[in-house]
Amino acid sequence: MADQEFTYSDVSEHNTKKDLYIVVHDKVYNASSFVDEHPGGEEVLLDVGGQDSTEAFEDVGHSDEAREILDGLLVGTLKRQDGDPKPKSYAQPGPTATTTDGASTGVGLYAIILLGGALAFAAYTVMKKQSTE
């Protein structure tokens, strides 16, 4: 049964607690038997039922055990058709984007810490001067 193909239209018809299909990485899973056992609560699954839940699944950072459970729920693959939403890319950003952003954040943070230290020293000096008068 795992070699069956489903369209988005087919999957979208399975969106209730007793009949719940989800799509993760273009594989179709019947999550009906797992709804009550899901550690995140049934609402999480019901919110993505009948649709592509790849982004939600990956954003949570599921464990290897969760992925094994998911494998046991496999019923088929998604057959993409014209007009279906395109799958999102889950690649990590390249090193150039993070290096530039990280460097400018570091300099700004250093400037704020330096300014805060100078203000604290000035306030300490003024208060000490006032207490000795």
Side-chain angles (χ1 to χ4, degrees):
M1 187 164 171
D3 58 346
Q4 188 174 352
E5 283 189 333
F6 296 88
T7 64
Y8 262 109
S9 179
D10 296 333
V11 173
S12 69
E13 294 172 8
H14 302 272
N15 60 5
T16 66
K17 183 176 178 177
K18 294 187 185 299
D19 182 23
L20 189 70
Y21 282 16
I22 60 171
V23 176
V24 177
H25 294 294
D26 289 347
K27 293 182 180 177
V28 181
Y29 301 92
N30 182 347
S32 308
S33 62
F34 188 67
V35 173
D36 291 327
E37 299 171 39
H38 188 259
E42 66 181 46
E43 299 83 19
V44 176
L45 287 177
L46 293 173
D47 284 347
V48 295
Q51 54 189 310
D52 191 335
S53 60
T54 304
E55 184 175 12
F57 184 83
E58 293 299 344
D59 284 351
V60 171
H62 283 89
S63 65
D64 291 339
E65 182 182 358
R67 292 175 190 278
E68 288 175 19
I69 291 170
L70 192 63
D71 287 342
L73 304 175
L74 182 66
V75 292
T77 58
L78 182 67
K79 180 180 180 184
R80 293 193 176 273
Q81 298 178 326
D82 290 340
D84 286 348
K86 299 284 184 231
K88 294 186 179 183
S89 171
Y90 297 97
Q92 296 296 322
T96 52
T98 56
T99 305
T100 305
D101 295 340
S104 62
T105 302
V107 171
L109 183 59
Y110 179 74
I112 290 171
I113 291 171
L114 188 61
L115 182 61
L119 288 172
F121 178 73
Y124 170 76
T125 306
V126 169
M127 290 178 69
K128 187 172 182 175
K129 188 175 183 179
Q130 287 178 350
S131 66
T132 58
E133 292 178 353

